[in-house]
Amino acid sequence: MEAKLCNGDYIADGLGGVERCAGADALLERVLFRLTARRGQFPPLPDLGSRLYLLGREPVPQRLSAARQYVAEALAGEDVTVSDVELEPAGDGRARLTVSLTSRGEPLSVTVTV
């Protein structure tokens, strides 16, 4: 079971703990965590997270290619196949990243703003 995240924060269960999820929802929570955590910021697991926060440093024509690479790195430890990565402007210099993936034959999707 995985803890649920909303806007980078755990969701309280009202009993002093956090809400939990299982199955495909748990997988999506792990994927979301791996995509939003900054790679290298957790010393015991230096390969945890992604480098998506660096996308703004890439030239615009190369951002989608870099995003695909960063997503692949971040999700290398998960039992998923990335089928598509889409990147679109979200305003204020940010971008909306949508990752389409498959796990055990089930199509899944997650969207994050970077």
Side-chain angles (χ1 to χ4, degrees):
M1 295 188 94
E2 300 294 324
K4 284 189 177 182
L5 287 172
C6 181
N7 297 325
D9 292 325
Y10 293 109
I11 300 171
D13 65 2
L15 301 172
V18 295
E19 287 189 26
R20 302 270 178 194
C21 55
D25 289 335
L27 174 65
L28 288 174
E29 291 296 328
R30 286 194 310 273
V31 166
L32 180 63
F33 181 77
R34 286 178 175 271
L35 293 176
T36 56
R38 289 184 173 208
R39 190 175 194 91
Q41 295 298 307
F42 187 56
L45 298 171
D47 292 332
L48 178 70
S50 76
R51 295 187 295 153
L52 287 169
Y53 67 95
L54 298 173
L55 278 180
R57 298 179 186 174
E58 297 289 336
V60 175
Q62 297 173 2
R63 286 185 185 164
L64 180 58
S65 176
R68 287 181 175 140
Q69 177 184 345
Y70 298 160
V71 167
E73 289 173 358
L75 301 183
E78 291 293 334
D79 185 23
V80 297
T81 302
V82 177
S83 54
D84 193 23
V85 175
E86 297 176 16
L87 191 63
E88 59 186 41
D92 295 330
R94 300 178 61 106
R96 186 173 300 106
L97 178 81
T98 302
V99 179
S100 300
L101 40 95
T102 306
S103 176
R104 298 182 180 157
E106 182 179 354
L108 302 167
S109 178
V110 66
T111 300
V112 296
T113 302
V114 294

